[in-house]
Amino acid sequence: MTQSLDAVFAALADPTRRAILSMLLEDDMAVTDVAAPFEMSLAAISKHLIVLTSAGLISQEKRGRVKWCKLEPDAMREASVWMQGFGLMDGVDLDAFERFLDQELDS
Amino acid sequence: MTQSLDAVFAALADPTRRAILSMLLEDDMAVTDVAAPFEMSLAAISKHLIVLTSAGLISQEKRGRVKWCKLEPDAMREASVWMQGFGLMDGVDLDAFERFLDQELDS
DNA sequence: GCAAACGTCAACCAATTGGTTGAATATCCA
DNA sequence: TGGATATTCAACCAATTGGTTGACGTTTGC
């Protein structure tokens, strides 16, 4: 469940993948539609989507012949909290912050 | 000045480099001391430090024969803000968050 | 002056990454 | 049934990454 920071940061390190995530912020999309704006092959986009999926940043569900991609932003939370540890939120106990977030997001 | 998201995320994708950043949270350190806890060569650590430096996440200053490494957490800010764009705080009761912060900063 | 400490450089290596193309699979629809 | 659409698979390629070792240049202190 808890995504590895390695996989999440590595997935976010590619501009194409970040652009895909931004597109999915609008709405769920089919693979072909995700690929449309990019000047690379569908197979290349398909690989990027596999990277995003295995990092937990998106999920894919096949309905008929179409595979829908859905953003899973929760996978970013661990990474985001890790970064907050570097003075972006001075003086705050990070573990407590994480517990707070968990509690808030469950409610 | 503004660090590329590519470089920052890629730098953060390696556990050794993240560990180095955490160590530098305590204090500035010499390259040799940074390398000490790791089971890899000094040259390998030196390369990791170059990656961190070119991402802007640390700075290095040579005094005498010792090169000091200093954390530059501001380089994470752009990446952190980018991630916040994905609704990580959605569903969080902002008043509760403020109370949490007050409580944290008092303790 | 010289040996030891600090750190980088250069060459090398295996594994991974990001892309390609062409064939394969699965589904839909006329 | 068969053709078009949606997506992945497999093989390949060049470039990058993360590590090694050994030689090298500086600085320090006896």
Side-chain angles (χ1 to χ4, degrees):
Chain A
M1 215 55 178
T2 167
Q3 292 305 324
S4 94
L5 292 178
D6 284 26
V8 170
F9 281 129
L12 295 180
D14 184 276
T16 300
R17 287 193 294 262
R18 287 198 307 277
I20 291 173
L21 292 175
S22 292
M23 290 164 57
L24 291 176
L25 209 42
E26 311 282 327
D27 208 349
D28 298 357
M29 295 179 80
V31 172
T32 304
D33 295 331
V34 168
F38 298 98
E39 286 178 341
M40 70 181 70
S41 69
L42 186 58
I45 295 294
S46 182
K47 282 190 190 178
H48 281 304
L49 292 173
I50 288 170
V51 173
L52 290 170
T53 301
S54 56
L57 290 163
I58 66 169
S59 58
Q60 293 183 284
E61 184 199 354
K62 193 165 180 180
R63 282 203 299 273
R65 64 183 161 177
V66 175
K67 203 165 187 179
W68 293 91
C69 303
K70 177 174 166 30
L71 188 63
E72 301 286 352
D74 273 7
M76 280 182 215
R77 271 180 46 219
E78 193 185 350
S80 180
V81 168
W82 186 88
M83 281 203 277
Q84 296 301 324
F86 289 84
L88 305 176
M89 202 169 291
D90 277 348
V92 175
D93 176 341
L94 270 220
D95 290 340
F97 178 58
E98 200 161 0
R99 283 197 301 276
F100 169 81
L101 276 185
D102 286 341
Q103 167 203 317
E104 279 296 314
L105 296 171
D106 283 348
S107 61
Chain B
M1 218 53 184
T2 166
Q3 290 307 324
S4 94
L5 292 177
D6 284 26
V8 170
F9 281 130
L12 295 180
D14 184 277
T16 300
R17 287 192 294 261
R18 286 198 308 277
I20 291 173
L21 292 175
S22 293
M23 291 164 58
L24 291 177
L25 209 43
E26 310 282 328
D27 209 349
D28 297 356
M29 296 179 78
V31 171
T32 303
D33 296 330
V34 169
F38 297 99
E39 287 180 339
M40 70 180 71
S41 69
L42 185 59
I45 295 294
S46 181
K47 282 192 190 179
H48 281 305
L49 292 173
I50 287 169
V51 172
L52 289 170
T53 300
S54 57
L57 290 163
I58 67 170
S59 58
Q60 293 183 284
E61 184 199 354
K62 193 165 183 182
R63 283 203 299 272
R65 64 181 163 183
V66 175
K67 201 165 188 178
W68 293 92
C69 304
K70 177 174 165 33
L71 188 63
E72 300 286 355
D74 273 6
M76 278 182 216
R77 200 146 246 139
E78 195 186 349
S80 179
V81 167
W82 186 87
M83 282 204 273
Q84 294 301 323
F86 288 84
L88 301 182
M89 295 298 254
D90 279 1
V92 173
D93 178 341
L94 289 185
D95 289 341
F97 180 55
E98 204 162 342
R99 284 196 301 277
F100 166 81
L101 280 185
D102 287 345
Q103 166 206 319
E104 277 300 312
L105 297 172
D106 282 349
S107 61

